[in-house]
Amino acid sequence: MKRTSALRAAAAALLLTVGLGAAQAMPASAVPTAASPTASAGLLDAMRQDLGLTERQAEERLAAERTATRVESAARKAAGGSYGGSWFDAGTGRLVVALTDHAERAEVEALGADTRLVRHSAAALDRAKARLDAGSAPSGVAGWHVDPRSNSVVVTVVRADRDAPAVRAFVERARATGPVTVAETAAAPRTYAAGTVGGDPYYTGNVRCSIGFSVHGGFVTAGHCGGAGAAVRGWDGSAMGTFQGSSFPGNDYAYVSIHSGWWTVPVVLGWGVTSDRLVRGSAEAPIGASICRSGSTTKWHCGSVLAKNETVNYSQGAVHQMTKTSVCAEGGDSGGAFISGDQAQGVTSGGWGNCSSGGETWFQPVNEILGRYGLTLHTA
């Protein structure tokens, strides 16, 4: 059986927990309900280390985030055309919904959310961002996204290049499309593939990446790790599978089918930092929620969701509809799993910084990948 001892242990724990026939598949189009299992000591320790929370604060935050995730879809529907976006406020432990009209305020607040009056709807901001997506950007522009908290499109520029003529010209064009806020970042984003080294990865040619989430028949990962048709080797160097579909740039996702002798389980490795996490669905966490990442280089780290639907301007080309986080990552972590509680969120794409000094990392949302290839997430 071609797995590391960690995966064998994870599989054994899964069988003991849910039984041989209990793992149920969920269609990619379904919106699962977040479960509320007791958080492991390891997960709480990771949140204490990376988010600066006490054990009690971490438990309370996880519970509040599960509630916010459930409220968000109902609040969006209730707000209708007045919807200006939403985010989780860690200070109050509640979802905040931006509205362009007070008329929907009572209905939204009755669902358990706070409200904030804003000028621009989410639809209007999305249209402004789409106009930027239709063009190209210089290397000194790191990316752009709709930010519901500032009710604007945030254009992020590399601090050292902020006064470059091409960057200034891009910002001027961006401001002509709609409400724009300019932010700065320390470095340009890059993908997190790496040369071949030991560990618990998969390999394509001389590139090492990390498995994202198990699907029936294989797993999902980052598109920049390999093109369609590329052969994949497992951690032991033996033939593991083949890239059946891959997209990069534009997107950064891929689907790998696995050969006989390899098998999948609905587990994300905790690498001894936390217990291995069972995957129970893919309910999307709101902006502001805590989130953790598992990868073959830097193992397990946590942070928060900073932005959604961001266009990231890599040197290879722009990638759209990415989610930005405060979680660190390094080379070889590409393709690895982002998870919030027990809900799959996405696969690691790239970022800037490292896990010694910190940084930011983006992921491609998993539900988009499942829908693109018609896959079914393997859930517990």
Side-chain angles (χ1 to χ4, degrees):
M1 187 175 297
K2 297 180 176 69
R3 286 294 185 190
T4 61
S5 57
L7 277 174
R8 295 192 194 97
L14 172 66
L15 295 179
L16 288 173
T17 303
V18 302
L20 286 170
Q24 299 295 319
M26 182 165 295
S29 59
V31 178
T33 300
S36 53
T38 301
S40 69
L43 175 60
L44 297 177
D45 284 344
M47 293 182 71
R48 174 186 55 77
Q49 176 179 319
D50 292 331
L51 296 175
L53 303 175
T54 66
E55 180 175 333
R56 181 175 180 179
Q57 288 172 333
E59 290 176 334
E60 290 174 345
R61 177 160 174 170
L62 288 170
E65 288 173 353
R66 286 192 291 270
T67 298
T69 299
R70 291 194 294 268
V71 168
E72 187 174 36
S73 59
R76 180 191 294 262
K77 183 176 180 180
S82 177
Y83 182 72
S86 60
W87 63 95
F88 176 76
D89 186 331
T92 63
R94 290 169 62 86
L95 185 75
V96 181
V97 178
L99 300 171
T100 60
D101 192 327
H102 271 308
E104 288 77 20
R105 178 177 179 179
E107 185 176 356
V108 171
E109 291 184 348
L111 295 170
D114 294 331
T115 57
R116 180 178 297 176
L117 187 65
V118 296
R119 181 177 178 182
H120 307 286
S121 69
L125 295 175
D126 285 342
R127 288 192 295 270
K129 178 181 176 294
R131 288 191 283 271
L132 293 182
D133 288 343
S136 60
S139 60
V141 176
W144 51 94
H145 67 274
V146 170
D147 177 28
R149 288 166 291 196
S150 65
N151 195 228
S152 67
V153 176
V154 175
V155 174
T156 304
V157 301
V158 179
R159 187 171 298 118
D161 298 324
R162 63 186 176 185
D163 294 324
V167 172
R168 293 169 67 92
F170 180 88
V171 171
E172 288 179 8
R173 291 196 303 271
R175 286 182 168 139
T177 68
V180 164
T181 301
V182 177
E184 295 182 1
T185 187
R190 57 185 176 84
T191 56
Y192 281 130
T196 301
V197 296
D200 187 24
Y202 73 87
Y203 302 89
T204 306
N206 66 344
V207 171
R208 172 170 63 85
C209 282
S210 301
I211 293 172
F213 293 96
S214 290
V215 297
H216 289 272
F219 62 86
V220 294
T221 187
H224 71 263
C225 291
V232 172
R233 307 187 310 280
W235 62 272
D236 60 355
S238 64
M240 182 184 194
T242 304
F243 276 83
Q244 295 299 322
S246 179
S247 179
F248 179 81
N251 303 293
D252 194 6
Y253 52 60
Y255 162 51
V256 175
S257 65
I258 56 174
H259 302 321
S260 60
W262 293 87
W263 57 295
T264 63
V265 290
V267 170
V268 172
L269 292 176
W271 299 101
V273 177
T274 183
S275 60
D276 296 339
R277 309 299 296 170
L278 290 176
V279 178
R280 300 186 186 276
S282 57
E284 184 179 339
I287 292 172
S290 63
I291 195 166
C292 298
R293 179 194 54 74
S294 180
S296 62
T297 299
T298 58
K299 312 309 182 189
W300 182 273
H301 286 276
C302 298
S304 300
V305 177
L306 299 178
K308 295 184 181 182
N309 192 24
E310 178 154 13
T311 297
V312 180
N313 193 34
Y314 292 128
S315 61
Q316 301 94 327
V319 177
H320 308 292
Q321 296 178 315
M322 302 275 272
T323 297
K324 181 180 183 178
T325 76
S326 63
V327 186
C328 68
E330 296 179 13
D333 287 327
S334 280
F338 267 91
I339 189 167
S340 181
D342 56 12
Q343 300 294 304
Q345 299 298 308
V347 300
T348 304
S349 174
W352 63 270
N354 56 54
C355 288
S356 296
S357 59
E360 295 173 336
T361 301
W362 286 264
F363 67 80
Q364 187 90 63
V366 70
N367 287 330
E368 180 183 358
I369 309 171
L370 300 177
R372 169 63 180 84
Y373 295 118
L375 302 172
T376 302
L377 186 68
H378 194 167
T379 57

